Amino acid sequence: MGISLISYFLSPLKYPPLDFLQNPIFLRESSVFIHLILLFGIILSWIYKLSRRVENEHSKDRNFWYYKPVFLPSLALSLYNLALFCLNCFYWYRNGWLDANLVTLLDLTLRVFVWLLVSIYLHKQFIKRSNGVNLPILLRIWWVFYLVVSCYCLVVDIVQLRGKQSLPIQVLVSDIVYVMSGIFLCCVGIFGKVTCEDSDLQEPFLNGNGNVNGNGRVESSKNEGSGTISPYLNAGLLSNLTFTWVGSLITKGYKKTLDLEDVPSLSGKDDVNESHMIFRNFMESSRDGSDKKVTSMRLVRSLILTTWVDIVLTACLCLIRTLASYVGPYLIDTFVQYLNGKREFKNQGYVLVSAFFVAKLVECLSQRHWVFRLQVVGIRAKAVLIESIYNKALTLSCRSKQGHTSGEMINLMSVDAERIGDFSWYMHDPWMVIIQVALALLLLYKSLGLASIAALIATVIIMLANFPLSTVLEKYQGKLMESKDKRMKATSEVLKNMRILKLQAWEMKFLSKIVELRNTENGWLKKFLYTSAATTFVFWVAPTFVSVITFGTCIIMGIPLDSGKILTALATFRILQEAIYNLPDTISMIIQTKVSLDRIASFLCLDDLEPDTIEKIPRASSEVAVEINEGNFTWDPSSPNPTLKDINLRVQHGMRVAVCGTVGSGKSSLLSCILGEVPKITGSLRLSGSKAYVPQSPWIQSGKIVDNILFGQEMDHERYDRVLEACSLKKDLEILSFGDQTVIGERGINLSGGQKQRMQIARALYQDADIYLFDDPFSAVDAHTGSHLFKECLLGLLESKTVIYVTHQVEFLPAADLILVMKNGRILQAGKYNDILASGTDFMELVGAHEEALSALDSVEPGVIKPTVHEEYSGTKPLEEESNVGEDGKADDMAGIKGQLVQEEEREKGRVGLSVYWKYITTAYGGALIPFILLAQILFQTLQILSNYWMAWATPVSPDAKPTVDEKTLIMVYVALSVGSAFCILARASLLMNVAYKTATSLFTKMHSCIFRAPMSFFDATPSGRILNRASTDQSAVDLSIPSQVGAFAFSLIQLLGIIAVMSMIAWQVFVIFIPVIAISLWYQQYYISSARELCRLVGVTKAPVIQHFAETISGATTIRSFDQESRFCQTSVQLVNTYSRPKFYNAAAMEWLCIRLDMLSSITFAASLIFLISIPVGLIDPGIAGLSVTYGLNLNMLQVSLIWNLCNMENKIISVERIYQYTCIPSEPPLFIEENRPVSFWPSLGEVNVQDLQIRYAPHMPLVLRGITCTFQGGKKTGIVGRTGGGKSTLIQALFRIVEPASGKIMLDGIDISSIGLHDLRTRLSIIPQDPTMFEGTVRSNLDPLEEYSDEQIWEALDKCQLGDEVRTKEGKLDSIVTENGENWSMGQRQLVCLGRVLLKRSKVLILDEATASVDTATDNLIQQTLSQHFSDSTVIIIAHRITSVIDSDMVVLLSHGLVEECDSPLKLLENKSSSFAKLVTEYTTRANSNAEETT
């Protein structure tokens, strides 16, 4: 490739000053120098290894398996040089000595010793390691220099032969041998596979026992589950060169639809386990002392060092490919002169064809392996960044997490890490542009002389134009990412809370907020796209601009132009065009990557939890489980008021400690403090033993129930059964068709609040920890279940354990050894029940409120609730058999379901339908602009060909021939054609970006509209990760990638047709080759695309679990840390990332498998066309036009591969559109409004709910959940709904809000069938306080009044009524006080009060309370009940409650069982019948309270 270039510049005829470069002494000295370097390198290496032998005994070697292919050539070269040495000594002894002889002998001597030493080294390594040879990377780099020098010597030999100089035949033969051996060794060194020996560094890293060694460096582990060995590791040399190793996968994909299990595993550094370990080690080693700040440069340095071997190899391959690409332009002039009849030697034509062909083959091989290894680098970089972001998110402090919401963190993983991985494509472009420009200028100098200076100036001007463009692009890119973050944050929050949005009829308001955020994003996207269009125009025009300036300078300076020089220049400009054309993309990518690096670096800089907050003491060494001395803790270090003040606590092992207090008193913060979650200001905190934690807001992983309970522990069936029994879960599991193998939806969406809470308790119990922390675990369960849990868990299984539990239920306090009464972040009272009852007023208030609630029961029917001991036990047993009476269950949602709720993500199979392409290109303006875009490209290509044809035809073939036209006409026509093509490209770029913008906007609107109008069943069965994946990754592809990809395919096709047209004008016979080659190429493409398509779909499918697992980890980080399960979750993340990387890796390999074959075919086509041309007699064709066809033919392989590449990439990328279209076809809920049947503004005026033979099923193939319910909820009355799990309570409420539609029957509200009106007309007239209190990121005002319907006075009035007014007034922003994501800066009880405030504002005629007071203390509950009684006295109030005191004063109680109404009457009448289920429930509640009271006496 570069040989011909060097040979020209060494020509003694034109460049005498460079004669010394051909001097034999100089050549031999150069050889001596590089061999001396290797000799000293080997000696130093051995000395170093001897000194480090002990230290490196446990190091990990990279073992090179091609022992014989390296050893034998090295030994053969040593023997060959020894033979040459002997022959030369004999010859020169006979014929006399010269100065050069001594240098030559020294060169041969060194070669003998050096290659002998290499052979000995390899042999010793092979003996030591039977499984491979350790081959230093420096030796492989030296082989590259050896090849370069050998090529240089061979070029000098060729120049001397062409210059008719004498040359000993043994010199020529030796140089050929050296070049061939250099090529062979370089190929083996580059493509030889490398494996890793097992060593002590490969100890488990994330298998639960991962640790950090004494130097703080992370140790690695083997990837679990990598049973399938990667075929890449077992591939031979030829298989590696031609990518045959991936052929078996492609064949399998051609015969069947590929599934994930068909894709082999990753090994070595491609496994994120190993690569992340290396990356972490480099990150740790780059720290300066105690500096923990992560900078972008430090991140880049660690990424480079992690993949430096592949980066160096790709740089070498890139250089070889670039040099090979310039061989063609260099030889064109010679080829044109040959066609003109100037023959320098016999068979020169075939030599030229061979040179063209070999250069193309070298270019093909180097480019394919360059591209593949770049992609591997990108996959590896992305994987380690994802893992680093995951690990960081798992250790973030709560304050840091509040500043970075889950949406932002998901964007870091799904967008920023992806972009940095994609940058691998561009990493070598900046320095390669310089080399390409330099080579181009050298060629131009050879052809056009000083006019090349003008070309240099024009090129520099073009490149300088990058600076303002790059500045603007960087600004727009940063703004685009910021706005995308905000949108993704809002989207993530909305998806988490979609149920409450639909119940409150707020989904359209929140959709409008997301659309508003998207509009801001669209503004920056539009600017970014149009700036990119301007950049595209400038750089497409750049080569034409350079050529016009260059040719114009030639005419001005009087430099003669002939067709050979013109064609060389045009071919050079065409190659230069690639470098300059890619430059804007490179600059844009550098800018985007820098932005992403800055964002990730700033995230990695965030504060972690303070490791010294807790002083951990071994369990056996201390009798104290928890000890806090003079502790002051705060969630917000900048706040002057600590969250917890003056905490002194000493808990012995085996103690039960109860924590109580009013809403917002600091109870949950105290537990978080013991977990080490709250930053410590002063004091000490000691913990002895393992811990388990049950949070107030249940955190359930998506997955099987059994996996949630085991939580990483081995199955012990006896312990497992005891835990299920203690947590009352056996009955629930019997209801479910799959038992404990049932797959739980995201955030436990298909479980009731009580079931989630009991599953959490079971998870904690199964861990068998030393210390248990319970944050109000009994609020979400009914009276019987709560009593059962307390007795069986806290008093039973955990009898010998240390238990600290927060509770609002006073009846659970007497059993505690120590009671802590919290107020305003302080422990106000501490002691036993009776002691503190007599010593303070705060505790008396709590107990008094409880007794007041019990007195309400006494007033109903005193005789009923005072059972005898016999009655007490006889009444309890049936309840145990019933299990969970009164619990609000969603098991009814799943009862009888024969299929899992959450299924594997759907993916299309087979080829992407043409309808997807058609819908995509016709989305904007109905496709009206597409013909104009294609026309602009066709005109551009036509004008480009015409301008080049004009220059080739109008200039003479040789300097002595007469020009066809004068110089002025020549340049004027060329300029006119060039300007015309420039305007065409401007039109094309502008129109394409306009279509891209409109299409992206339209698809976004359609998808989000369909998602927000989807029924709730869609969100129950679809993890939010799948939706977020489409809203982030797929939408980003539609915004930025797909338009360019579709355009690139169309433009490549037009360019290829143009080349075929030009080549067929001169040698139509080339169609004899073209037709079968195109047929074979299309067959290859069809053979390949089946596998590529499915691999690309698998990439999309495997990405969602990575995001979902990440999102779950963020929300459950406290729970994960409390169980010390960080390492297991990290290992799960590693496995998911590896699963995601596998199809990407093999998809990249499959693409190169196709491209290398297409390259070979196009090279054969090009060689055949050249053979046709040299076979035509002289004078039969115009040499200039023939040379033009060769100029275009040089790009044939690139364009043919580019066409297929773009076709395959387009089909792969268009899958993002396909996935978005999947979500534009989601079945919709009924209409929000039905104009012809809208209720009057004051409806409902009475609030009477009449249920008539209501039957509900969740899908047509599922059994009925409600089996014909008929009952009436009287207007203005209070009705309580109770019943066992699976009874149908939740389903009835969902039917009332039309979350599910009836199979038969109907619900009448004030005489109107609710199914006959619009959803929003119905839901806006109803109010609900849900079981899980929900707050959104924003302000207090936006949480109470998201629709902005009420005045500040009304909002303050509602806050006062729900006991939050004083709390809000103390905040700096008042109504504009900040609410963080999920309302995490508010306690659970306060969030529940905010939900109460919403209904107080709304004042609906029908109010539903779904466990509305579960998270508040009894005193606050009594206040809430009084508030509701006062302000909703004339409203229909329907209550689902586990506190009997909330239901006992109802006008009517409805008890549901198995989808039917079992009992329906007033509480008084139901209590008169002691055998009624309701009477049993009341008895259990009062029995629990009375029995606990007796324990205290």
Side-chain angles (χ1 to χ4, degrees), residues 938-958:
I938 291 170
L939 287 175
F940 167 74
Q941 186 66 25
T942 303
L943 291 173
Q944 285 275 296
I945 292 172
L946 285 176
S947 63
N948 294 336
Y949 187 92
W950 167 257
M951 294 300 289
W953 174 80
T955 52
V957 177
S958 58

Side-chain angles (χ1 to χ4, degrees), residues 359-657:
K360 278 295 170 190
L361 287 183
V362 172
E363 181 184 358
C364 155
L365 285 171
S366 57
Q367 182 169 15
R368 299 280 59 90
H369 286 276
W370 166 52
V371 169
F372 172 66
R373 286 181 179 270
L374 282 180
Q375 291 182 81
V376 171
V377 169
I379 292 170
R380 199 178 297 162
K382 179 182 177 182
V384 299
L385 287 174
I386 287 177
E387 199 55 31
S388 297
I389 293 167
Y390 180 90
N391 290 351
K392 183 67 179 182
L394 201 51
T395 61
L396 277 184
S397 67
C398 291
R399 180 172 173 79
S400 297
K401 193 183 290 186
Q402 286 177 4
H404 287 71
T405 60
S406 57
E408 291 175 338
M409 289 187 263
I410 287 170
N411 250 3
L412 289 174
M413 180 178 280
S414 63
V415 178
D416 293 290
E418 179 103 37
R419 181 171 292 115
I420 292 170
D422 290 342
F423 177 70
S424 62
W425 288 90
Y426 303 87
M427 71 168 65
H428 296 305
D429 286 4
W431 62 269
M432 276 313 304
V433 166
I434 298 171
I435 291 178
Q436 286 176 313
V437 170
L439 289 172
L441 291 174
L442 288 173
L443 272 181
L444 291 173
Y445 185 64
K446 173 242 175 184
S447 300
L448 305 175
L450 292 176
S452 60
I453 297 175
L456 173 62
I457 294 171
T459 304
V460 170
I461 290 172
I462 291 295
M463 290 185 171
L464 288 176
N466 279 300
F467 290 103
L469 287 170
S470 63
T471 303
V472 173
L473 279 174
E474 181 176 13
K475 174 187 172 184
Y476 292 162
Q477 176 65 26
K479 294 293 186 181
L480 184 62
M481 291 310 302
E482 284 178 19
S483 54
K484 188 184 291 292
D485 273 348
K486 291 178 182 177
R487 173 175 63 83
M488 286 307 300
K489 181 169 64 175
T491 304
S492 177
E493 187 175 43
V494 164
L495 292 177
K496 283 181 185 176
N497 302 299
M498 185 57 78
R499 183 177 295 275
I500 187 64
L501 294 185
K502 287 189 175 293
L503 289 171
Q504 300 280 13
W506 290 346
E507 69 267 37
M508 290 298 107
K509 175 66 176 179
F510 278 76
L511 173 60
S512 68
K513 288 184 178 180
I514 289 177
V515 169
E516 186 179 332
L517 291 170
R518 173 65 182 183
N519 288 338
T520 304
E521 184 182 348
N522 281 342
W524 297 114
L525 176 65
K526 191 172 187 178
K527 292 176 181 178
F528 184 85
L529 289 175
Y530 280 107
T531 306
S532 298
T535 309
T536 301
F537 162 71
V538 169
F539 289 99
W540 263 107
V541 172
T544 306
F545 172 74
V546 174
S547 61
V548 167
I549 296 296
T550 305
F551 294 150
T553 304
C554 287
I555 292 173
I556 293 171
M557 297 179 65
I559 298 172
L561 292 174
D562 57 59
S563 55
K565 292 178 179 178
I566 289 286
L567 292 172
T568 296
L570 289 175
T572 305
F573 292 147
R574 188 172 291 274
I575 295 175
L576 198 59
Q577 178 185 17
E578 180 190 354
I580 298 179
Y581 175 63
N582 288 335
L583 196 58
D585 287 339
T586 303
I587 292 171
S588 174
M589 198 63 192
I590 290 172
I591 293 164
Q592 295 178 43
T593 304
K594 181 181 180 299
V595 171
S596 293
L597 281 167
D598 290 341
R599 284 156 50 85
I600 291 177
S602 65
F603 176 74
L604 296 178
C605 281
L606 293 176
D607 292 334
D608 290 338
L609 288 171
E610 296 176 8
D612 60 346
T613 300
I614 300 178
E615 181 185 343
K616 294 187 178 179
I617 302 171
R619 169 68 177 84
S621 65
S622 175
E623 290 300 318
V624 179
V626 180
E627 184 176 11
I628 306 176
N629 292 320
E630 300 297 331
N632 287 279
F633 303 85
T634 182
W635 288 111
D636 184 4
S638 62
S639 173
N641 298 317
T643 307
L644 297 173
K645 298 176 279 291
D646 304 324
I647 303 296
N648 287 282
L649 177 64
R650 184 182 175 89
V651 180
Q652 302 285 341
H653 281 293
M655 284 182 65
R656 280 192 298 274
V657 180

Side-chain angles (χ1 to χ4, degrees), residues 279-280 282-284 286-288 290-303 385 388-389 392 596-608:
F279 175 77
R280 285 278 296 272
F282 283 124
M283 287 290 287
E284 292 292 330
S286 64
R287 285 185 176 176
D288 298 328
S290 61
D291 179 26
K292 294 185 178 181
K293 186 176 181 181
V294 178
T295 62
S296 298
M297 287 307 299
R298 186 168 149 202
L299 205 59
V300 169
R301 177 183 177 274
S302 299
L303 285 172
L385 287 174
S388 297
I389 293 167
K392 183 67 179 182
S596 293
L597 281 167
D598 290 341
R599 284 156 50 85
I600 291 177
S602 65
F603 176 74
L604 296 178
C605 281
L606 293 176
D607 292 334
D608 290 338

Side-chain angles (χ1 to χ4, degrees), residues 1095-1147:
L1095 285 170
C1096 191
R1097 283 174 174 148
L1098 285 172
V1099 169
V1101 169
T1102 54
K1103 184 173 185 177
V1106 176
I1107 295 176
Q1108 183 185 343
H1109 180 67
F1110 182 51
E1112 283 186 344
T1113 300
I1114 294 169
S1115 61
T1118 301
T1119 304
I1120 295 167
R1121 289 192 291 261
S1122 68
F1123 285 92
D1124 296 322
Q1125 292 279 329
E1126 296 97 322
S1127 60
R1128 184 173 69 86
F1129 274 77
C1130 287
Q1131 181 62 33
T1132 302
S1133 176
V1134 164
Q1135 292 169 355
L1136 290 172
V1137 173
N1138 273 336
T1139 301
Y1140 172 49
S1141 299
R1142 275 161 53 200
K1144 286 180 76 72
F1145 177 87
Y1146 288 99
N1147 191 30

Side-chain angles (χ1 to χ4, degrees), residues 256-263 907 909 1094 1098 1142:
K256 66 181 280 285
T257 301
L258 284 180
D259 292 313
L260 191 57
E261 57 267 22
D262 298 320
V263 183
R907 64 180 174 107
K909 296 192 175 182
E1094 299 310 320
L1098 285 172
R1142 275 161 53 200

Side-chain angles (χ1 to χ4, degrees), residues 1004-1026:
F1004 177 89
T1005 304
K1006 286 180 182 177
M1007 179 176 72
H1008 281 73
S1009 297
C1010 287
I1011 289 173
F1012 275 71
R1013 290 288 292 116
M1016 200 59 224
S1017 58
F1018 168 77
F1019 298 97
D1020 290 345
T1022 307
S1024 63
R1026 295 182 190 172

